Amino acid sequence: MPKTPEEWLEEAGSAKTQGIFKLFLGYAPGVGKTYAMLSEAIRRSSRGEDVVVGVVETHGRRAVNELARKMETVPRRTIEYKGTQFHEMDLEAILKRHPQVVVVDELAHTNIEGSVHHKRYEDVIDLLAANIDVLSAMNVQHIESLGPSILQISSVQVRETVPDWVMQRVDEIVLADVTPQALQKRMRRGDIYPVDRAERALAHFFKPGNLIALRELALRQVTQVVDRSLDAYLAKEHVEHAPEIGERIAVCISSNPAAQYLIARASRMAQGIKGELFVIYVDMGQDTDPQDQRTLAENIRFAENLGAHVVRVTGTSVAPAVAGVVRERRITQVIFGRSAQKGWKKYLYLTAIHRFLRDAPPVDVHIVTQEML
């Protein structure tokens, strides 16, 4: 006989050794993610759970401030940096207080120098390890692998990001959602930014096309977390289903900064089909310039943060080297980047692709334009 929801909760509570990570995800400022997060915290407090606020950024919004004041707040830690005082969440004080639930806003925030950790999501990982449930919030543009897509959509380079592996740690996700039209109305009323900033924002980041695209990205992220939850449930219940053929997606990169767009594209493809991601770099002795070495290291770090298997091989030609990796690692799909090229460069590029197809085992090949906007 299947368990009731109450029995599931009771079983989970008795065996719980790690905190539960619940993320309120938005697609733009003002959709209501912080308000929804605080409302959840108040509901849980009213049910008798020990809930505290670790940090909440109200941004001057009265409704958010009123909700935050209804709960106990752990005082922030004051840190002096370059002659200025900053107030950061006090991780050590929260761990000492050890509540059942803590509210931690703005997951992608970078802590000031002198904090326990460099990033706030690292604070959250410590709280979860201490068996404290965390309610947190952020916008979709702060997910690291989406950086290139966000840049293309909005022409905005997001500096504060959260690695994709953190999203893999999320247990529950809630989409704080309003239509783009409703969000624009909030903007015009001055509910999000002061009125004098509203028109400028509406003409740039808050354009309808931007908001629609960002909302789509947020919906995809929610779908991925829901799919993982379903898989975990099926595994726990020993539900048998049709075996799946594991896909392995490989993307070939260079020291070109645009390679991060290719890596992000490949990562989304791998996540969408629940496949493994491989990033291949063929060292032909050409990236000797210090700047090339720096951008290559950044590309590799970006790939590792997305959970990719990075494969570095030495060779005199890309095609046979990549074909060898494809054969050895049993890759099923390969992504090559293509910059807009003409004349003999285009000929050389196509020749390399043809050589790869000749040398490699049967594999799907994707050609992706990698120009950055």
Side-chain angles (χ1 to χ4, degrees), residues 154-175:
S154 64
S155 299
V156 173
Q157 179 73 59
V158 178
R159 301 297 178 186
E160 293 191 314
T161 60
V162 170
D164 283 47
W165 65 262
V166 176
M167 293 299 295
Q168 300 290 326
R169 177 61 182 83
V170 171
D171 298 295
E172 302 176 37
I173 192 166
V174 176
L175 179 64

PDB file of all heavy atoms in Angstrom, residues 154-175:
ATOM      1  N   SER A 154      20.048  40.151 -23.270  1.00  0.00           N
ATOM      2  CA  SER A 154      19.885  41.468 -22.645  1.00  0.00           C
ATOM      3  C   SER A 154      21.056  42.414 -22.851  1.00  0.00           C
ATOM      4  O   SER A 154      20.971  43.581 -22.441  1.00  0.00           O
ATOM      5  CB  SER A 154      19.668  41.284 -21.137  1.00  0.00           C
ATOM      6  OG  SER A 154      20.818  40.715 -20.530  1.00  0.00           O
ATOM      7  N   SER A 155      22.157  41.917 -23.429  1.00  0.00           N
ATOM      8  CA  SER A 155      23.392  42.704 -23.559  1.00  0.00           C
ATOM      9  C   SER A 155      23.967  43.090 -22.200  1.00  0.00           C
ATOM     10  O   SER A 155      24.709  44.058 -22.078  1.00  0.00           O
ATOM     11  CB  SER A 155      23.152  43.969 -24.405  1.00  0.00           C
ATOM     12  OG  SER A 155      22.739  43.616 -25.710  1.00  0.00           O
ATOM     13  N   VAL A 156      23.611  42.328 -21.167  1.00  0.00           N
ATOM     14  CA  VAL A 156      24.106  42.569 -19.812  1.00  0.00           C
ATOM     15  C   VAL A 156      25.025  41.423 -19.412  1.00  0.00           C
ATOM     16  O   VAL A 156      24.649  40.246 -19.511  1.00  0.00           O
ATOM     17  CB  VAL A 156      22.946  42.684 -18.804  1.00  0.00           C
ATOM     18  CG1 VAL A 156      23.481  42.766 -17.371  1.00  0.00           C
ATOM     19  CG2 VAL A 156      22.082  43.904 -19.110  1.00  0.00           C
ATOM     20  N   GLN A 157      26.240  41.755 -18.968  1.00  0.00           N
ATOM     21  CA  GLN A 157      27.183  40.759 -18.466  1.00  0.00           C
ATOM     22  C   GLN A 157      26.972  40.602 -16.966  1.00  0.00           C
ATOM     23  O   GLN A 157      27.248  41.522 -16.189  1.00  0.00           O
ATOM     24  CB  GLN A 157      28.625  41.195 -18.746  1.00  0.00           C
ATOM     25  CG  GLN A 157      29.683  40.227 -18.243  1.00  0.00           C
ATOM     26  CD  GLN A 157      29.756  38.966 -19.088  1.00  0.00           C
ATOM     27  OE1 GLN A 157      30.000  39.025 -20.278  1.00  0.00           O
ATOM     28  NE2 GLN A 157      29.536  37.826 -18.455  1.00  0.00           N
ATOM     29  N   VAL A 158      26.434  39.475 -16.543  1.00  0.00           N
ATOM     30  CA  VAL A 158      26.165  39.224 -15.135  1.00  0.00           C
ATOM     31  C   VAL A 158      27.464  38.832 -14.442  1.00  0.00           C
ATOM     32  O   VAL A 158      28.122  37.866 -14.840  1.00  0.00           O
ATOM     33  CB  VAL A 158      25.104  38.121 -14.956  1.00  0.00           C
ATOM     34  CG1 VAL A 158      24.868  37.840 -13.474  1.00  0.00           C
ATOM     35  CG2 VAL A 158      23.800  38.533 -15.637  1.00  0.00           C
ATOM     36  N   ARG A 159      27.832  39.589 -13.423  1.00  0.00           N
ATOM     37  CA  ARG A 159      29.113  39.351 -12.739  1.00  0.00           C
ATOM     38  C   ARG A 159      28.991  38.360 -11.588  1.00  0.00           C
ATOM     39  O   ARG A 159      29.914  37.588 -11.325  1.00  0.00           O
ATOM     40  CB  ARG A 159      29.659  40.684 -12.207  1.00  0.00           C
ATOM     41  CG  ARG A 159      29.880  41.737 -13.285  1.00  0.00           C
ATOM     42  CD  ARG A 159      30.917  41.304 -14.286  1.00  0.00           C
ATOM     43  NE  ARG A 159      31.111  42.296 -15.348  1.00  0.00           N
ATOM     44  CZ  ARG A 159      31.874  42.103 -16.410  1.00  0.00           C
ATOM     45  NH1 ARG A 159      32.522  40.972 -16.561  1.00  0.00           N
ATOM     46  NH2 ARG A 159      31.985  43.040 -17.333  1.00  0.00           N
ATOM     47  N   GLU A 160      27.884  38.405 -10.865  1.00  0.00           N
ATOM     48  CA  GLU A 160      27.708  37.514  -9.721  1.00  0.00           C
ATOM     49  C   GLU A 160      26.922  36.285 -10.166  1.00  0.00           C
ATOM     50  O   GLU A 160      25.759  36.398 -10.570  1.00  0.00           O
ATOM     51  CB  GLU A 160      26.994  38.227  -8.576  1.00  0.00           C
ATOM     52  CG  GLU A 160      27.819  39.342  -7.955  1.00  0.00           C
ATOM     53  CD  GLU A 160      27.221  39.849  -6.660  1.00  0.00           C
ATOM     54  OE1 GLU A 160      25.991  40.085  -6.642  1.00  0.00           O
ATOM     55  OE2 GLU A 160      27.958  40.007  -5.683  1.00  0.00           O
ATOM     56  N   THR A 161      27.549  35.116 -10.097  1.00  0.00           N
ATOM     57  CA  THR A 161      26.913  33.894 -10.572  1.00  0.00           C
ATOM     58  C   THR A 161      27.033  32.764  -9.548  1.00  0.00           C
ATOM     59  O   THR A 161      27.840  32.819  -8.630  1.00  0.00           O
ATOM     60  CB  THR A 161      27.547  33.424 -11.895  1.00  0.00           C
ATOM     61  OG1 THR A 161      28.945  33.180 -11.699  1.00  0.00           O
ATOM     62  CG2 THR A 161      27.361  34.471 -12.993  1.00  0.00           C
ATOM     63  N   VAL A 162      26.205  31.754  -9.764  1.00  0.00           N
ATOM     64  CA  VAL A 162      26.195  30.551  -8.935  1.00  0.00           C
ATOM     65  C   VAL A 162      26.519  29.370  -9.845  1.00  0.00           C
ATOM     66  O   VAL A 162      25.872  29.195 -10.890  1.00  0.00           O
ATOM     67  CB  VAL A 162      24.813  30.351  -8.285  1.00  0.00           C
ATOM     68  CG1 VAL A 162      24.709  28.985  -7.623  1.00  0.00           C
ATOM     69  CG2 VAL A 162      24.549  31.445  -7.256  1.00  0.00           C
ATOM     70  N   PRO A 163      27.519  28.541  -9.502  1.00  0.00           N
ATOM     71  CA  PRO A 163      27.843  27.381 -10.346  1.00  0.00           C
ATOM     72  C   PRO A 163      26.654  26.440 -10.486  1.00  0.00           C
ATOM     73  O   PRO A 163      25.821  26.316  -9.576  1.00  0.00           O
ATOM     74  CB  PRO A 163      28.987  26.702  -9.588  1.00  0.00           C
ATOM     75  CG  PRO A 163      29.556  27.755  -8.705  1.00  0.00           C
ATOM     76  CD  PRO A 163      28.402  28.639  -8.339  1.00  0.00           C
ATOM     77  N   ASP A 164      26.592  25.754 -11.604  1.00  0.00           N
ATOM     78  CA  ASP A 164      25.455  24.859 -11.858  1.00  0.00           C
ATOM     79  C   ASP A 164      25.376  23.717 -10.847  1.00  0.00           C
ATOM     80  O   ASP A 164      24.293  23.183 -10.593  1.00  0.00           O
ATOM     81  CB  ASP A 164      25.541  24.310 -13.274  1.00  0.00           C
ATOM     82  CG  ASP A 164      25.106  25.337 -14.303  1.00  0.00           C
ATOM     83  OD1 ASP A 164      25.549  26.501 -14.224  1.00  0.00           O
ATOM     84  OD2 ASP A 164      24.316  25.007 -15.188  1.00  0.00           O
ATOM     85  N   TRP A 165      26.509  23.319 -10.277  1.00  0.00           N
ATOM     86  CA  TRP A 165      26.444  22.226  -9.311  1.00  0.00           C
ATOM     87  C   TRP A 165      25.624  22.610  -8.076  1.00  0.00           C
ATOM     88  O   TRP A 165      25.061  21.727  -7.409  1.00  0.00           O
ATOM     89  CB  TRP A 165      27.843  21.757  -8.908  1.00  0.00           C
ATOM     90  CG  TRP A 165      28.699  22.740  -8.158  1.00  0.00           C
ATOM     91  CD1 TRP A 165      29.666  23.532  -8.672  1.00  0.00           C
ATOM     92  CD2 TRP A 165      28.662  23.027  -6.738  1.00  0.00           C
ATOM     93  NE1 TRP A 165      30.246  24.304  -7.689  1.00  0.00           N
ATOM     94  CE2 TRP A 165      29.651  24.010  -6.494  1.00  0.00           C
ATOM     95  CE3 TRP A 165      27.901  22.545  -5.679  1.00  0.00           C
ATOM     96  CZ2 TRP A 165      29.878  24.520  -5.219  1.00  0.00           C
ATOM     97  CZ3 TRP A 165      28.136  23.058  -4.401  1.00  0.00           C
ATOM     98  CH2 TRP A 165      29.110  24.025  -4.189  1.00  0.00           C
ATOM     99  N   VAL A 166      25.535  23.890  -7.788  1.00  0.00           N
ATOM    100  CA  VAL A 166      24.695  24.324  -6.667  1.00  0.00           C
ATOM    101  C   VAL A 166      23.223  24.061  -6.993  1.00  0.00           C
ATOM    102  O   VAL A 166      22.447  23.640  -6.135  1.00  0.00           O
ATOM    103  CB  VAL A 166      24.935  25.813  -6.352  1.00  0.00           C
ATOM    104  CG1 VAL A 166      23.992  26.288  -5.244  1.00  0.00           C
ATOM    105  CG2 VAL A 166      26.379  26.044  -5.931  1.00  0.00           C
ATOM    106  N   MET A 167      22.844  24.291  -8.255  1.00  0.00           N
ATOM    107  CA  MET A 167      21.467  24.007  -8.659  1.00  0.00           C
ATOM    108  C   MET A 167      21.165  22.515  -8.531  1.00  0.00           C
ATOM    109  O   MET A 167      20.021  22.127  -8.252  1.00  0.00           O
ATOM    110  CB  MET A 167      21.240  24.473 -10.094  1.00  0.00           C
ATOM    111  CG  MET A 167      21.297  25.973 -10.293  1.00  0.00           C
ATOM    112  SD  MET A 167      20.030  26.863  -9.344  1.00  0.00           S
ATOM    113  CE  MET A 167      18.528  26.249 -10.126  1.00  0.00           C
ATOM    114  N   GLN A 168      22.180  21.683  -8.723  1.00  0.00           N
ATOM    115  CA  GLN A 168      21.975  20.247  -8.559  1.00  0.00           C
ATOM    116  C   GLN A 168      21.677  19.894  -7.100  1.00  0.00           C
ATOM    117  O   GLN A 168      21.073  18.856  -6.821  1.00  0.00           O
ATOM    118  CB  GLN A 168      23.227  19.483  -9.017  1.00  0.00           C
ATOM    119  CG  GLN A 168      23.608  19.696 -10.472  1.00  0.00           C
ATOM    120  CD  GLN A 168      22.656  19.062 -11.450  1.00  0.00           C
ATOM    121  OE1 GLN A 168      22.106  18.010 -11.169  1.00  0.00           O
ATOM    122  NE2 GLN A 168      22.454  19.698 -12.587  1.00  0.00           N
ATOM    123  N   ARG A 169      22.100  20.746  -6.178  1.00  0.00           N
ATOM    124  CA  ARG A 169      21.873  20.499  -4.743  1.00  0.00           C
ATOM    125  C   ARG A 169      20.477  20.935  -4.292  1.00  0.00           C
ATOM    126  O   ARG A 169      20.019  20.536  -3.217  1.00  0.00           O
ATOM    127  CB  ARG A 169      22.957  21.244  -3.934  1.00  0.00           C
ATOM    128  CG  ARG A 169      22.833  21.145  -2.411  1.00  0.00           C
ATOM    129  CD  ARG A 169      22.933  19.703  -1.927  1.00  0.00           C
ATOM    130  NE  ARG A 169      22.765  19.609  -0.484  1.00  0.00           N
ATOM    131  CZ  ARG A 169      21.576  19.581   0.134  1.00  0.00           C
ATOM    132  NH1 ARG A 169      20.458  19.654  -0.570  1.00  0.00           N
ATOM    133  NH2 ARG A 169      21.514  19.475   1.455  1.00  0.00           N
ATOM    134  N   VAL A 170      19.774  21.717  -5.099  1.00  0.00           N
ATOM    135  CA  VAL A 170      18.445  22.208  -4.719  1.00  0.00           C
ATOM    136  C   VAL A 170      17.473  21.034  -4.595  1.00  0.00           C
ATOM    137  O   VAL A 170      17.357  20.207  -5.498  1.00  0.00           O
ATOM    138  CB  VAL A 170      17.934  23.223  -5.765  1.00  0.00           C
ATOM    139  CG1 VAL A 170      16.472  23.577  -5.499  1.00  0.00           C
ATOM    140  CG2 VAL A 170      18.798  24.479  -5.738  1.00  0.00           C
ATOM    141  N   ASP A 171      16.781  20.967  -3.454  1.00  0.00           N
ATOM    142  CA  ASP A 171      15.799  19.903  -3.220  1.00  0.00           C
ATOM    143  C   ASP A 171      14.409  20.293  -3.718  1.00  0.00           C
ATOM    144  O   ASP A 171      13.677  19.462  -4.243  1.00  0.00           O
ATOM    145  CB  ASP A 171      15.716  19.581  -1.720  1.00  0.00           C
ATOM    146  CG  ASP A 171      17.028  19.076  -1.165  1.00  0.00           C
ATOM    147  OD1 ASP A 171      17.456  17.984  -1.579  1.00  0.00           O
ATOM    148  OD2 ASP A 171      17.643  19.775  -0.344  1.00  0.00           O
ATOM    149  N   GLU A 172      14.043  21.536  -3.510  1.00  0.00           N
ATOM    150  CA  GLU A 172      12.729  22.026  -3.936  1.00  0.00           C
ATOM    151  C   GLU A 172      12.915  23.375  -4.619  1.00  0.00           C
ATOM    152  O   GLU A 172      13.765  24.173  -4.211  1.00  0.00           O
ATOM    153  CB  GLU A 172      11.781  22.195  -2.742  1.00  0.00           C
ATOM    154  CG  GLU A 172      11.545  20.931  -1.928  1.00  0.00           C
ATOM    155  CD  GLU A 172      10.664  21.212  -0.711  1.00  0.00           C
ATOM    156  OE1 GLU A 172       9.738  22.038  -0.829  1.00  0.00           O
ATOM    157  OE2 GLU A 172      10.931  20.619   0.347  1.00  0.00           O
ATOM    158  N   ILE A 173      12.115  23.625  -5.637  1.00  0.00           N
ATOM    159  CA  ILE A 173      12.217  24.898  -6.346  1.00  0.00           C
ATOM    160  C   ILE A 173      10.827  25.462  -6.564  1.00  0.00           C
ATOM    161  O   ILE A 173       9.878  24.730  -6.844  1.00  0.00           O
ATOM    162  CB  ILE A 173      12.964  24.728  -7.685  1.00  0.00           C
ATOM    163  CG1 ILE A 173      13.327  26.087  -8.286  1.00  0.00           C
ATOM    164  CG2 ILE A 173      12.182  23.876  -8.649  1.00  0.00           C
ATOM    165  CD1 ILE A 173      14.342  26.017  -9.404  1.00  0.00           C
ATOM    166  N   VAL A 174      10.705  26.766  -6.379  1.00  0.00           N
ATOM    167  CA  VAL A 174       9.442  27.475  -6.583  1.00  0.00           C
ATOM    168  C   VAL A 174       9.703  28.606  -7.568  1.00  0.00           C
ATOM    169  O   VAL A 174      10.617  29.413  -7.358  1.00  0.00           O
ATOM    170  CB  VAL A 174       8.891  28.051  -5.261  1.00  0.00           C
ATOM    171  CG1 VAL A 174       7.622  28.864  -5.520  1.00  0.00           C
ATOM    172  CG2 VAL A 174       8.622  26.931  -4.263  1.00  0.00           C
ATOM    173  N   LEU A 175       8.918  28.660  -8.624  1.00  0.00           N
ATOM    174  CA  LEU A 175       9.039  29.743  -9.586  1.00  0.00           C
ATOM    175  C   LEU A 175       8.166  30.907  -9.143  1.00  0.00           C
ATOM    176  O   LEU A 175       6.940  30.785  -9.071  1.00  0.00           O
ATOM    177  CB  LEU A 175       8.631  29.282 -10.983  1.00  0.00           C
ATOM    178  CG  LEU A 175       8.705  30.354 -12.075  1.00  0.00           C
ATOM    179  CD1 LEU A 175      10.138  30.814 -12.289  1.00  0.00           C
ATOM    180  CD2 LEU A 175       8.112  29.835 -13.377  1.00  0.00           C
TER     181      LEU A 175
END
